[in-house]
């Protein structure tokens, strides 16, 4: 019996990277996990297979976010598999490294659509499905609180907006004992950061040096923090911004 046995979790963007790590960890703690993905069905099925191989339970939901009708389609698909939700992890997100004098309006709209509008409306349309005592965990970024990479400005702005969402939503859902928090990773080794880490000479070493702990983060470093917030032990933590940057802001 794990601490999340009997619970149902939805992790957006769980086919790869941090989301996959979160899905696998929550499943190991006993939750049945909805493994959401956008386009990469093969990767999502690999996540489910890994969960099942470890003795857990999971199913896939494929809906690309940031398009009209996305959220309604996501919940319709979810409802085919489950009758309610205990843990919602808004993890799916895209980066943007275009400086302000180059970024187009379309690129700006796209990063806000996926990183801000989608989680907002996933909650908007999912609140009735979320059971009392549940959890909402939004995956933010350390870049919401440092200007060290100003070319990521539009992306960082999306995470700032997500953090305000976590803060204010905690007041809305608090009366139902549902906690809402942001978890902010630093640089984690995923497909998203492949260019930064592997694309340039010395990229890995420079990234590692940003953390007080002197290394690049792994997906499990973030998943373990999310698992704590999902657990009963975190019942008194809400509306907070949890720094999971490995000391990259110090
Ligand atoms: P990743 O490896 O690129 O994986 C992204 C995941 O999100 C995939 O499962 C992908 O699905 C899904 N996704 C992306 N766009 C989507 C869309 N439009 N519709 C539906 N699904 C979509 O990313 P990651 O590095 O794990 O990042 C996960 C979260 O952590 C993001 O919110 C990111 O901003 C945040 N974060 C990451 C880092 C880091 O260093 N990696 C640092 C701070 C914050 P498909 O497989 O179907 O494409």
């Amino acid at each position: 019996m794990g601490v999340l046995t009997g619970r149902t979790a939805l992790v957006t963007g769980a086919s790869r990277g941090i989301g996959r790590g979160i899905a696998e960890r929550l499943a190991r703690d006993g939750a049945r996990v909805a493994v959401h993905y956008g386009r990469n069905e093969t990767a999502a099925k690999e996540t489910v297979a890994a969960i099942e191989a470890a003795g857990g339970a999971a199913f896939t939901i494929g809906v690309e976010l940031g398009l009209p009708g996305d959220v309604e389609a996501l919940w319709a698909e979810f409802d085919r598999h489950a009758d309610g939700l205990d843990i919602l992890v808004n993890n799916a997100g895209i980066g943007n490294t275009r400086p302000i004098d180059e970024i187009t309006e379309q690129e700006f709209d796209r990063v806000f659509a996926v990183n801000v509008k989608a989680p907002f409306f996933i909650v908007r349309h999912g609140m009735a499905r979320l059971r009392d005592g549940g959890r909402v965990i939004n995956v933010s970024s350390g870049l919401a609180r440092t200007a060290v990479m100003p070319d990521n400005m539009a992306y960082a702005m999306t995470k700032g907006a997500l953090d305000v969402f976590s803060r204010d939503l905690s007041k809305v859902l608090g009366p139902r004992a549902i906690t809402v928090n942001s978890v902010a990773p630093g640089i984690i080794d995923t497909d998203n950061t492949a260019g930064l880490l592997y694309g340039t000479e010395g990229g890995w070493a420079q990234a590692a040096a940003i953390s007080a702990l002197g290394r690049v983060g792994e997906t499990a470093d973030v998943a373990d923090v999310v698992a704590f917030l999902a657990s009963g032990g975190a019942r008194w933590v809400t509306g907070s911004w949890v720094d999971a940057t490995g000391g990259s802001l110090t």
Side-chain angles (χ1 to χ4, degrees), residues 19-232:
R20 177 175 179 166
I22 293 169
E24 291 189 10
R25 174 61 208 268
L26 297 183
R28 215 174 337 122
D29 285 351
R32 180 171 178 246
V33 181
V35 172
H36 164 266
Y37 66 96
R39 296 182 183 178
N40 198 333
E41 184 180 12
T42 304
K45 285 183 170 166
E46 283 169 12
T47 304
V48 170
I51 287 172
E52 290 175 346
F59 56 91
T60 60
I61 295 181
V63 175
E64 184 164 355
L65 299 172
L67 301 174
D70 54 357
V71 170
E72 290 85 351
L74 181 149
W75 286 119
E77 184 65 12
F78 177 86
D79 290 343
R80 288 182 53 241
H81 297 272
D83 60 3
L85 182 67
D86 302 286
I87 301 155
L88 169 61
V89 183
N90 282 311
N91 163 80
I94 55 172
N96 187 295
T97 55
R98 300 265 274 164
I100 188 167
D101 54 355
E102 286 180 17
I103 191 168
T104 65
E105 209 173 320
Q106 286 78 7
E107 288 166 338
F108 181 94
D109 286 346
R110 172 80 183 150
V111 73
F112 269 80
V114 176
N115 293 7
V116 182
K117 187 175 178 187
F120 184 94
F121 281 95
I122 287 172
V123 171
R124 162 82 178 81
H125 292 291
M127 274 179 348
R129 292 168 176 86
L130 201 55
R131 286 188 269 266
D132 290 3
R135 302 281 188 264
V136 178
I137 299 157
N138 294 319
V139 178
S140 176
S141 168
L143 289 181
R145 298 216 179 169
T146 173
V148 73
M149 296 180 184
D151 288 354
N152 291 258
M153 189 187 304
Y155 167 78
M157 288 167 68
T158 68
K159 297 303 187 179
L162 196 64
D163 293 341
V164 172
F165 180 45
S166 296
R167 186 193 69 195
D168 286 13
L169 186 66
S170 69
K171 290 278 191 184
V172 175
L173 296 180
R176 294 175 52 203
I178 296 169
T179 67
V180 187
N181 293 288
S182 279
V183 171
I187 299 173
I188 307 294
D189 181 16
T190 70
D191 294 345
N192 203 9
T193 49
L196 179 76
L197 295 174
Y198 303 103
T200 57
E201 181 82 27
W204 183 278
Q206 280 171 23
I210 293 172
S211 160
L213 299 170
R215 67 172 174 84
V216 171
E218 298 167 7
T219 58
D221 294 324
V222 180
D224 287 353
V225 177
V226 170
F228 167 67
L229 290 170
S231 75

